[in-house]
């Protein structure tokens, strides 16, 4: 708002004329209406202006240098139906021509001031409305006029203005608002500092990174992304800082590179830890509200909001061609997620965790972490999958992956997942006596669907398989020589990342 007009003088009262049309006289009370019901609201604000005779003095000599007004009437005409009025007392002295009367005598200092007759009240609703409209159109003029309009009510009664800084002491945020959810969740979200061992010996420290995690249980387990802690997993140091500023050393319990999930444990966990409640990522719908909490670019305790913009989005956390890439059938959100948000919770409107923020779409470097900012395409590991992985890591320290027992082409897209002619290092593409072999699959077959999910590439197939658990039996559709065939496959398992 502009301040150049903040000193605008308060306008004078429009109901007080500079020269009164008639000599001041006590107003006669208006005749009361027959009943309250017979009077309209707008009529109740109108006062009768009494008319009085003002006879001029017979022998008042005119001053030598004060000519009488050319059009001064000898007396004011009396309306035909005006009620009889008591003549006003003749003033002791009258100015030349009988009008205007001299100004009232100024009382001596400390003497009581005689009461001033109340000015006739007029309807000011239209005036105030015009002032308010003008204030909206010209916002910079609000300093003077806005205050004047606030001080004057339509009924002439002064009103009290409330300072912007005043807020009701009893103000409370309703449950389910973003502020309420964030306020409850923030004490259970930590900022993770990971530093590698340095590799140079002595006390030197290696490179560090910042990520996010959240309290999983009261024993002090923290769930985050594997890529947040990978640099410190071998000989490095880890710490977790809560929203109250307290920092605790931590250690790795287990990591799953393929899922991009890791579990830490606070070395000296404080009492009173409040684990975040876990939701059900299968019940999430596109359009549901989301809240992301993390430390983007090191800015701890940052809260952003958005919606679920897509489900079952096949995402590779790297470029999709390496052996240590992570794959997920991700929840896509437009909540702002940046480097440093990784490992933090994606919450629903009730404050339950529905995913772990893991990757972003970059305009330059593809999926995964980069120094590019958010463009509204963030991806989270569904919490149902993350929970299974975390429980396994806490229990055994190693991840367990469901597998199909076949090597597929990871570069072709759009036609399904094609089973390769041979595996890595010349090994068979179909594991002997494995799940795919038992289901009748052969090299060259193109897998087009797993359950009710369409498969368009190798990464999509892996992402979808990893949403299940080993031992699950799933319907599988594939094409051989252009002919579609449906079979069932019971998933096997692989323990560890090697």
């Amino acid at each position: 708002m502009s301040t150049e007009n903040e000193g605008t003088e308060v306008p004078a009262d429009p109901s007080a004329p500079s020269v009164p049309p008639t000599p001041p006289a006590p107003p006669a009370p208006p005749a009361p209406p027959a009943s309250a019901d017979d009077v309209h609201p707008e009529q109740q604000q109108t006062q009768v202006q009494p008319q009085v005779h003002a006879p001029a003095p017979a022998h008042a000599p005119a001053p030598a240098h004060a000519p009488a007004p050319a059009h001064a009437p000898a007396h004011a005409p009396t309306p035909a139906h005006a009620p009889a009025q008591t003549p006003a007392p003749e003033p002791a002295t009258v100015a030349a021509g009988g009008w205007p009367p001299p100004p009232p005598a100024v009382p001596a200092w400390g003497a009581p001031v005689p009461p001033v007759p109340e000015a006739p009240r007029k309807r000011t609703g239209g005036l105030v409305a015009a002032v308010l409209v003008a204030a909206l159109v010209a916002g910079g003029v609000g300093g003077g006029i806005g205050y004047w309009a606030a001080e004057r009510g339509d009924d002439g009664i002064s009103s009290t203005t409330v300072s912007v800084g005043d807020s009701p002491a009893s103000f409370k945020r309703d449950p389910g608002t973003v502020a309420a959810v964030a306020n409850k969740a923030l004490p259970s979200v930590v900022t993770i500092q990971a530093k590698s061992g340095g590799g140079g010996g002595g006390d030197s420290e290696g490179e560090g990174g910042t990520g996010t995690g959240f309290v999983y249980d009261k024993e002090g387990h923290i769930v985050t992304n594997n890529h947040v802690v990978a640099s410190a997993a071998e000989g490095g140091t880890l710490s977790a800082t809560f929203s109250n500023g307290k920092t605790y050393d931590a250690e790795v319990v287990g990591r799953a590179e393929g899922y991009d999930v890791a579990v830490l444990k606070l070395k000296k966990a404080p009492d009173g830890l409040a684990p975040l409640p876990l939701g059900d990522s299968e019940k999430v719908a596109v359009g549901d509200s989301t809240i992301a909490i993390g430390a983007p670019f090191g800015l701890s305790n940052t809260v952003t909001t958005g919606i679920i913009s897509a489900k079952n989005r096949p995402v590779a956390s790297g470029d999709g061609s390496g052996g240590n890439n992570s794959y997920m059938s991700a929840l896509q959100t437009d909540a702002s997620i940046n480097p440093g948000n990784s490992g933090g919770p994606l919450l629903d409107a009730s404050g339950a965790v529905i995913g772990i923020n893991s990757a972003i779409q970059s305009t330059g470097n593809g999926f995964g972490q980069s120094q590019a900012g958010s463009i509204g395409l963030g991806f989270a590991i569904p919490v149902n999958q993350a929970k299974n992985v975390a429980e396994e890591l806490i229990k055994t320290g190693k991840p367990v992956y469901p597998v199909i027992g076949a090597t597929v082409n990871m570069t072709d897209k759009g036609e399904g997942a094609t089973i390769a002619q041979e595996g890595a290092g010349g090994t068979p593409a179909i594991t002997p006596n494995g799940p795919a072999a038992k289901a009748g699959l052969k090299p060259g077959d193109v897998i087009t669907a797993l359950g009710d999910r369409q498969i368009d590439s190798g990464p999509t197939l892996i992402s979808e398989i990893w949403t299940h658990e080993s031992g699950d039996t799933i319907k599988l559709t594939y094409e051989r020589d252009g002919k579609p065939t449906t079979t069932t496959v019971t998933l096997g398992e692989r323990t560890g990342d090697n």
Side-chain angles (χ1 to χ4, degrees):
M1 177 182 290
S2 173
T3 60
E4 60 185 1
N5 293 316
E6 287 185 358
T8 302
E9 183 178 357
V10 176
D13 190 345
S15 64
S18 59
V19 178
T22 58
S35 65
D37 295 336
D38 296 335
V39 181
H40 296 287
E42 56 274 341
Q43 294 173 336
Q44 294 177 354
Q45 297 183 8
T46 304
Q47 292 185 357
V48 177
Q49 295 291 340
Q51 301 293 331
V52 297
H53 291 282
H59 306 285
H65 302 286
H71 302 287
H75 64 273
T78 303
H81 302 287
Q85 303 292 333
T86 303
E90 182 175 350
T93 59
V94 181
W99 191 258
V106 179
W109 179 260
V113 180
V116 179
E118 181 181 357
R121 296 194 301 173
K122 296 182 179 180
R123 289 180 293 173
T124 58
L127 175 60
V128 174
V131 171
L132 294 179
V133 171
L136 289 175
V137 174
V141 192
I145 296 178
Y147 178 79
W148 175 77
E151 283 297 303
R152 295 176 55 87
D154 282 351
D155 55 1
I157 300 176
S158 297
S159 61
T160 302
T161 57
V162 180
S163 171
V164 175
D166 295 340
S167 59
S170 60
F171 177 77
K172 293 182 180 180
R173 291 174 177 84
D174 294 333
T177 62
V178 174
V181 171
N183 184 63
K184 185 175 181 180
L186 276 168
S188 300
V189 179
V190 298
T191 300
I192 298 173
Q193 292 287 345
K195 294 183 179 180
S196 65
D203 295 329
S204 62
E205 290 186 347
E207 295 182 355
T210 302
T212 308
F214 63 91
V215 176
Y216 184 75
D217 56 30
K218 293 183 178 182
E219 284 69 41
H221 289 107
I222 305 295
V223 173
T224 185
N225 282 143
N226 172 68
H227 73 259
V228 169
V229 303
S231 62
E234 302 294 337
T237 60
L238 289 165
S239 65
T241 303
F242 286 79
S243 59
N244 60 6
K246 295 183 179 181
T247 300
Y248 301 86
D249 292 335
E251 59 186 355
V252 175
V253 172
R255 301 187 296 129
E257 291 182 359
Y259 292 121
D260 197 16
V261 173
V263 176
L264 311 181
K265 192 174 190 303
L266 303 178
K267 292 183 178 180
K268 295 182 179 179
D271 295 331
L273 289 176
L276 287 181
L278 304 183
D280 187 348
S281 51
E282 285 296 320
K283 295 182 179 179
V284 171
V286 173
D288 282 349
S289 298
T290 58
I291 301 172
I293 302 180
F297 299 103
L299 301 174
S300 301
N301 309 315
T302 295
V303 177
T304 56
T305 65
I307 62 170
I308 293 293
S309 50
K311 291 181 62 177
N312 305 309
R313 187 72 79 190
V315 171
S317 63
D319 60 6
S321 62
N324 293 325
N325 292 313
S326 301
Y327 302 95
M328 69 186 87
S329 182
L331 297 175
Q332 179 180 310
T333 180
D334 65 349
S336 295
I337 296 176
N338 290 285
N341 275 107
S342 292
L346 184 68
L347 309 174
D348 62 15
S350 71
V353 180
I354 55 175
I356 300 176
N357 301 317
S358 182
I360 61 173
Q361 173 69 60
S362 169
T363 56
N365 298 324
F367 294 111
Q369 292 297 300
S370 72
Q371 290 305 304
S374 171
I375 60 172
L377 290 173
F379 304 95
I381 303 168
V383 72
N384 291 12
Q385 176 180 334
K387 177 182 177 181
N388 293 336
V389 177
E391 292 289 349
E392 192 66 37
L393 292 177
I394 292 173
K395 180 180 178 180
T396 67
K398 296 182 179 180
V400 175
Y401 298 94
V403 296
I404 196 175
T407 302
V408 296
N409 191 323
M410 299 297 288
T411 58
D412 295 342
K413 293 184 177 181
E415 300 296 332
T418 302
I419 299 178
Q421 294 299 320
E422 63 179 22
T427 60
I430 302 291
T431 303
N433 204 35
K438 293 179 178 179
L441 296 174
K442 296 181 179 180
D445 289 345
V446 180
I447 300 173
T448 59
L450 188 70
D452 57 357
R453 302 279 189 251
Q454 295 298 310
I455 304 299
D456 61 0
S457 65
T460 302
L461 177 63
I462 294 176
S463 299
E464 189 58 35
I465 289 174
W466 286 356
T467 64
H468 297 274
E469 297 183 39
S470 58
D472 289 350
T473 298
I474 312 170
K475 181 177 70 174
L476 183 147
T477 301
Y478 67 95
E479 291 183 0
R480 180 181 298 168
D481 299 329
K483 181 181 179 181
T485 304
T486 299
T487 186
T488 57
V489 60
T490 300
L491 300 177
E493 72 175 41
R494 171 172 62 88
T495 301
D497 285 306
N498 297 322

PDB file of all heavy atoms in Angstrom, residues 273-290:
ATOM      1  N   LEU A 273       9.112 -40.158  22.402  1.00  0.00           N
ATOM      2  CA  LEU A 273       9.039 -40.080  20.941  1.00  0.00           C
ATOM      3  C   LEU A 273       7.622 -40.402  20.469  1.00  0.00           C
ATOM      4  O   LEU A 273       6.972 -41.307  20.985  1.00  0.00           O
ATOM      5  CB  LEU A 273      10.029 -41.064  20.307  1.00  0.00           C
ATOM      6  CG  LEU A 273      11.524 -40.722  20.425  1.00  0.00           C
ATOM      7  CD1 LEU A 273      12.361 -41.848  19.835  1.00  0.00           C
ATOM      8  CD2 LEU A 273      11.821 -39.403  19.727  1.00  0.00           C
ATOM      9  N   ALA A 274       7.162 -39.660  19.465  1.00  0.00           N
ATOM     10  CA  ALA A 274       5.805 -39.847  18.937  1.00  0.00           C
ATOM     11  C   ALA A 274       5.899 -40.298  17.486  1.00  0.00           C
ATOM     12  O   ALA A 274       6.107 -39.468  16.589  1.00  0.00           O
ATOM     13  CB  ALA A 274       5.011 -38.544  19.042  1.00  0.00           C
ATOM     14  N   PRO A 275       5.773 -41.601  17.223  1.00  0.00           N
ATOM     15  CA  PRO A 275       5.833 -42.083  15.838  1.00  0.00           C
ATOM     16  C   PRO A 275       4.702 -41.489  15.001  1.00  0.00           C
ATOM     17  O   PRO A 275       3.580 -41.309  15.488  1.00  0.00           O
ATOM     18  CB  PRO A 275       5.682 -43.604  15.980  1.00  0.00           C
ATOM     19  CG  PRO A 275       6.006 -43.897  17.413  1.00  0.00           C
ATOM     20  CD  PRO A 275       5.585 -42.702  18.194  1.00  0.00           C
ATOM     21  N   LEU A 276       4.990 -41.190  13.752  1.00  0.00           N
ATOM     22  CA  LEU A 276       3.941 -40.714  12.861  1.00  0.00           C
ATOM     23  C   LEU A 276       3.020 -41.875  12.498  1.00  0.00           C
ATOM     24  O   LEU A 276       3.497 -42.989  12.230  1.00  0.00           O
ATOM     25  CB  LEU A 276       4.543 -40.118  11.586  1.00  0.00           C
ATOM     26  CG  LEU A 276       5.231 -38.761  11.710  1.00  0.00           C
ATOM     27  CD1 LEU A 276       5.757 -38.313  10.348  1.00  0.00           C
ATOM     28  CD2 LEU A 276       4.293 -37.726  12.289  1.00  0.00           C
ATOM     29  N   PRO A 277       1.706 -41.670  12.463  1.00  0.00           N
ATOM     30  CA  PRO A 277       0.793 -42.743  12.063  1.00  0.00           C
ATOM     31  C   PRO A 277       0.962 -43.056  10.581  1.00  0.00           C
ATOM     32  O   PRO A 277       1.251 -42.165   9.771  1.00  0.00           O
ATOM     33  CB  PRO A 277      -0.592 -42.155  12.356  1.00  0.00           C
ATOM     34  CG  PRO A 277      -0.393 -40.676  12.286  1.00  0.00           C
ATOM     35  CD  PRO A 277       0.999 -40.423  12.803  1.00  0.00           C
ATOM     36  N   LEU A 278       0.815 -44.327  10.248  1.00  0.00           N
ATOM     37  CA  LEU A 278       0.952 -44.755   8.850  1.00  0.00           C
ATOM     38  C   LEU A 278      -0.426 -44.919   8.234  1.00  0.00           C
ATOM     39  O   LEU A 278      -1.331 -45.506   8.832  1.00  0.00           O
ATOM     40  CB  LEU A 278       1.723 -46.077   8.769  1.00  0.00           C
ATOM     41  CG  LEU A 278       3.119 -46.091   9.414  1.00  0.00           C
ATOM     42  CD1 LEU A 278       3.782 -47.450   9.187  1.00  0.00           C
ATOM     43  CD2 LEU A 278       3.991 -44.961   8.877  1.00  0.00           C
ATOM     44  N   GLY A 279      -0.594 -44.408   7.029  1.00  0.00           N
ATOM     45  CA  GLY A 279      -1.851 -44.525   6.311  1.00  0.00           C
ATOM     46  C   GLY A 279      -1.867 -45.758   5.423  1.00  0.00           C
ATOM     47  O   GLY A 279      -1.074 -46.687   5.592  1.00  0.00           O
ATOM     48  N   ASP A 280      -2.747 -45.772   4.433  1.00  0.00           N
ATOM     49  CA  ASP A 280      -2.877 -46.879   3.487  1.00  0.00           C
ATOM     50  C   ASP A 280      -2.741 -46.301   2.084  1.00  0.00           C
ATOM     51  O   ASP A 280      -3.650 -45.650   1.570  1.00  0.00           O
ATOM     52  CB  ASP A 280      -4.241 -47.560   3.648  1.00  0.00           C
ATOM     53  CG  ASP A 280      -4.369 -48.819   2.801  1.00  0.00           C
ATOM     54  OD1 ASP A 280      -3.506 -49.046   1.916  1.00  0.00           O
ATOM     55  OD2 ASP A 280      -5.343 -49.574   3.010  1.00  0.00           O
ATOM     56  N   SER A 281      -1.589 -46.516   1.477  1.00  0.00           N
ATOM     57  CA  SER A 281      -1.334 -45.933   0.157  1.00  0.00           C
ATOM     58  C   SER A 281      -2.199 -46.542  -0.929  1.00  0.00           C
ATOM     59  O   SER A 281      -2.373 -45.944  -1.991  1.00  0.00           O
ATOM     60  CB  SER A 281       0.148 -46.081  -0.214  1.00  0.00           C
ATOM     61  OG  SER A 281       0.590 -47.421  -0.062  1.00  0.00           O
ATOM     62  N   GLU A 282      -2.777 -47.724  -0.690  1.00  0.00           N
ATOM     63  CA  GLU A 282      -3.667 -48.320  -1.685  1.00  0.00           C
ATOM     64  C   GLU A 282      -4.986 -47.565  -1.785  1.00  0.00           C
ATOM     65  O   GLU A 282      -5.651 -47.596  -2.813  1.00  0.00           O
ATOM     66  CB  GLU A 282      -3.940 -49.787  -1.345  1.00  0.00           C
ATOM     67  CG  GLU A 282      -2.787 -50.723  -1.641  1.00  0.00           C
ATOM     68  CD  GLU A 282      -2.458 -50.792  -3.118  1.00  0.00           C
ATOM     69  OE1 GLU A 282      -3.405 -50.810  -3.931  1.00  0.00           O
ATOM     70  OE2 GLU A 282      -1.259 -50.780  -3.463  1.00  0.00           O
ATOM     71  N   LYS A 283      -5.376 -46.890  -0.722  1.00  0.00           N
ATOM     72  CA  LYS A 283      -6.652 -46.181  -0.708  1.00  0.00           C
ATOM     73  C   LYS A 283      -6.528 -44.722  -1.136  1.00  0.00           C
ATOM     74  O   LYS A 283      -7.513 -43.997  -1.163  1.00  0.00           O
ATOM     75  CB  LYS A 283      -7.275 -46.254   0.686  1.00  0.00           C
ATOM     76  CG  LYS A 283      -7.656 -47.678   1.098  1.00  0.00           C
ATOM     77  CD  LYS A 283      -8.307 -47.689   2.474  1.00  0.00           C
ATOM     78  CE  LYS A 283      -8.701 -49.107   2.878  1.00  0.00           C
ATOM     79  NZ  LYS A 283      -9.321 -49.141   4.231  1.00  0.00           N
ATOM     80  N   VAL A 284      -5.315 -44.294  -1.453  1.00  0.00           N
ATOM     81  CA  VAL A 284      -5.108 -42.918  -1.886  1.00  0.00           C
ATOM     82  C   VAL A 284      -5.726 -42.729  -3.270  1.00  0.00           C
ATOM     83  O   VAL A 284      -5.637 -43.605  -4.131  1.00  0.00           O
ATOM     84  CB  VAL A 284      -3.606 -42.583  -1.923  1.00  0.00           C
ATOM     85  CG1 VAL A 284      -3.358 -41.235  -2.573  1.00  0.00           C
ATOM     86  CG2 VAL A 284      -3.034 -42.612  -0.516  1.00  0.00           C
ATOM     87  N   ALA A 285      -6.363 -41.587  -3.479  1.00  0.00           N
ATOM     88  CA  ALA A 285      -6.990 -41.282  -4.761  1.00  0.00           C
ATOM     89  C   ALA A 285      -6.353 -40.039  -5.373  1.00  0.00           C
ATOM     90  O   ALA A 285      -5.887 -39.140  -4.647  1.00  0.00           O
ATOM     91  CB  ALA A 285      -8.493 -41.062  -4.581  1.00  0.00           C
ATOM     92  N   VAL A 286      -6.332 -40.000  -6.680  1.00  0.00           N
ATOM     93  CA  VAL A 286      -5.833 -38.815  -7.375  1.00  0.00           C
ATOM     94  C   VAL A 286      -6.701 -37.624  -6.992  1.00  0.00           C
ATOM     95  O   VAL A 286      -7.930 -37.686  -7.031  1.00  0.00           O
ATOM     96  CB  VAL A 286      -5.852 -39.036  -8.899  1.00  0.00           C
ATOM     97  CG1 VAL A 286      -5.503 -37.741  -9.638  1.00  0.00           C
ATOM     98  CG2 VAL A 286      -4.888 -40.141  -9.287  1.00  0.00           C
ATOM     99  N   GLY A 287      -6.061 -36.546  -6.599  1.00  0.00           N
ATOM    100  CA  GLY A 287      -6.775 -35.364  -6.137  1.00  0.00           C
ATOM    101  C   GLY A 287      -6.763 -35.206  -4.634  1.00  0.00           C
ATOM    102  O   GLY A 287      -7.104 -34.129  -4.138  1.00  0.00           O
ATOM    103  N   ASP A 288      -6.385 -36.261  -3.896  1.00  0.00           N
ATOM    104  CA  ASP A 288      -6.289 -36.142  -2.438  1.00  0.00           C
ATOM    105  C   ASP A 288      -5.228 -35.111  -2.062  1.00  0.00           C
ATOM    106  O   ASP A 288      -4.184 -34.996  -2.719  1.00  0.00           O
ATOM    107  CB  ASP A 288      -5.919 -37.489  -1.808  1.00  0.00           C
ATOM    108  CG  ASP A 288      -7.100 -38.442  -1.705  1.00  0.00           C
ATOM    109  OD1 ASP A 288      -8.238 -37.989  -1.934  1.00  0.00           O
ATOM    110  OD2 ASP A 288      -6.880 -39.626  -1.400  1.00  0.00           O
ATOM    111  N   SER A 289      -5.471 -34.379  -0.983  1.00  0.00           N
ATOM    112  CA  SER A 289      -4.523 -33.377  -0.500  1.00  0.00           C
ATOM    113  C   SER A 289      -3.276 -34.048   0.070  1.00  0.00           C
ATOM    114  O   SER A 289      -3.350 -35.133   0.656  1.00  0.00           O
ATOM    115  CB  SER A 289      -5.174 -32.505   0.572  1.00  0.00           C
ATOM    116  OG  SER A 289      -6.276 -31.799   0.053  1.00  0.00           O
ATOM    117  N   THR A 290      -2.138 -33.400  -0.115  1.00  0.00           N
ATOM    118  CA  THR A 290      -0.873 -33.908   0.412  1.00  0.00           C
ATOM    119  C   THR A 290      -0.126 -32.797   1.135  1.00  0.00           C
ATOM    120  O   THR A 290      -0.258 -31.619   0.805  1.00  0.00           O
ATOM    121  CB  THR A 290       0.024 -34.471  -0.705  1.00  0.00           C
ATOM    122  OG1 THR A 290       0.278 -33.432  -1.671  1.00  0.00           O
ATOM    123  CG2 THR A 290      -0.627 -35.653  -1.387  1.00  0.00           C
TER     124      THR A 290
END
